[in-house]
Amino acid sequence: MTEVSVAKEDKVATGELVVLNGVNKHFGALHVLQDIDLTIHRGEVVVVIGPSGSGKSTLCRTINRLETIDSGSITIDGKPLPAEGKELARLRADVGMVFQSFNLFAHKTVLENVTLGQAKVRKVDAKKAEEKARALLDRVGVGAQADKYPAQLSGGQQQRVAIARALAMGPKVMLFDEPTSALDPEMINEVLEVMKQLAEDGMTMIVVTHEMGFARSAANRVVFMADGRIVEEATPDQFFSNPRSDRAKDFLSKILHH
Ligand SMILES: Nc1ncnc2c1ncn2[C@@H]1O[C@H](COP(=O)(O)OP(=O)(O)OP(=O)(O)O)[C@@H](O)[C@H]1O
Ligand SMILES: [Mg+2]
């Protein structure tokens, strides 16, 4: 075994789950991700915040390869992201993603939304997939809605179904990109509560959100991005009480006093 591969296995053993190393990404002339180094450990909850256009969504999308990168590397559990095919489908199952818009299949029932991927990608048989789906729907508090169609549910319920659907694949890490920002205020908490529970249960999570209460109570670390760079990383306590950079101070003064 070469020294390089030993080193890599050591890192996996110490719990590095998602590792971005020198990642760069351009959209034409726009350098949207600039030399991003970020390591997420197993069981860690990392909240990513920053101004609009700073690259938060692009960062999430590169991690499950909805976007390619120009240079650098991204590994999940010690393995580089696969480029295509079945390997890529499996990666997408390992990296659960919940977006701002609910993205449920409109013409499938809630239950079908949560069983489909299990059968297709994980080759789970129909009965097991249904059992798991019902258990997850119960866990996120929408068990009674299993036979309805997404349009018959509130936004908060739909978003909880989206979380159950991602969890059904048995992901190693969950990415959330502003999961509550399209919701009416009274539905935000029911989704945040499900996410907090997930964090307490030990799920590794990367969460883009402006919900500072969630960041304070559930995050192990806050990553602040501006202009495609990670400007600051700190514990929530450190970050909110004593931000170091002017960009972070400016950003916090805007979101905390509006
Ligand atoms: N597919 C694309 N083609 C070209 N430019 C893009 C594309 N996607 C994003 N961008 C640009 O890249 C920059 C970063 O976008 P991104 O969506 O990652 O920001 P964000 O931090 O998630 O912002 P927001 O808080 O508004 O969601 C923005 O300037 C955006 O206009
Ligand atoms: Mg975004």
Side-chain angles (χ1 to χ4, degrees):
M1 204 181 277
T2 64
E3 273 184 56
V4 173
S5 68
V6 170
K8 197 199 257 175
E9 278 165 20
D10 277 354
K11 282 188 183 168
V12 173
T14 59
E16 295 188 351
L17 186 57
V18 181
V19 180
L20 288 85
N21 216 323
V23 169
N24 283 282
K25 162 98 189 156
H26 297 77
F27 285 122
L30 181 69
H31 196 173
V32 60
L33 296 179
Q34 305 190 28
D35 300 317
I36 300 288
D37 293 321
L38 180 64
T39 298
I40 317 281
H41 295 86
R42 231 174 278 280
E44 198 178 14
V45 177
V46 172
V47 162
V48 180
I49 65 175
S52 181
S54 56
K56 306 178 300 292
S57 294
T58 307
L59 179 76
C60 285
R61 291 167 59 82
T62 61
I63 295 173
N64 71 353
R65 217 174 185 288
L66 288 171
E67 299 283 357
T68 57
I69 57 176
D70 301 333
S71 63
S73 68
I74 303 178
T75 59
I76 308 283
D77 221 355
K79 292 192 207 76
L81 297 192
E84 55 193 16
K86 282 200 173 130
E87 291 276 303
L88 182 56
R90 238 168 284 156
L91 166 93
R92 295 255 165 80
D94 281 347
V95 181
M97 181 131 185
V98 177
F99 301 90
Q100 178 175 339
S101 52
F102 319 124
N103 293 104
L104 296 173
F105 300 115
H107 303 292
K108 304 281 181 192
T109 65
V110 162
L111 184 68
E112 286 164 347
N113 265 278
V114 185
T115 53
L116 272 176
Q118 296 186 65
K120 228 177 170 170
V121 180
R122 297 295 200 202
K123 309 288 176 222
V124 178
D125 76 53
K127 189 161 167 280
K128 286 239 166 66
E130 180 171 337
E131 275 171 18
K132 186 166 191 184
R134 288 194 187 278
L136 284 168
L137 288 169
D138 281 341
R139 180 170 159 194
V140 301
V142 290
Q145 320 296 330
D147 299 320
K148 291 189 181 165
Y149 287 86
Q152 296 172 289
L153 270 56
S154 73
Q157 289 172 328
Q158 289 186 55
Q159 199 59 312
R160 286 181 283 149
V161 174
I163 294 172
R165 183 175 63 174
L167 291 176
M169 305 300 278
K172 291 177 177 168
V173 52
M174 288 280 290
L175 303 179
F176 293 87
D177 188 1
E178 301 203 30
T180 60
S181 58
L183 297 177
D184 292 336
E186 70 269 25
M187 289 166 197
I188 291 176
N189 273 335
E190 65 192 38
V191 172
L192 291 178
E193 281 306 319
V194 167
M195 291 167 61
K196 274 183 204 162
Q197 192 58 54
L198 203 53
E200 276 169 30
D201 293 345
M203 177 59 74
T204 308
M205 295 165 60
I206 302 173
V207 184
V208 179
T209 185
H210 292 243
E211 293 294 334
M212 297 303 128
F214 175 84
R216 276 178 187 280
S217 65
N220 302 109
R221 183 154 48 119
V222 172
V223 168
F224 176 72
M225 285 185 77
D227 298 330
R229 291 184 187 278
I230 293 178
V231 175
E232 246 183 274
E233 279 187 71
T235 63
D237 264 2
Q238 284 169 335
F239 182 77
F240 291 114
S241 60
N242 193 16
R244 293 186 303 269
S245 64
D246 289 341
R247 291 300 302 262
K249 284 178 195 162
D250 182 51
F251 177 77
L252 284 175
S253 73
K254 282 180 188 139
I255 59 163
L256 298 177
H257 306 294
H258 70 123

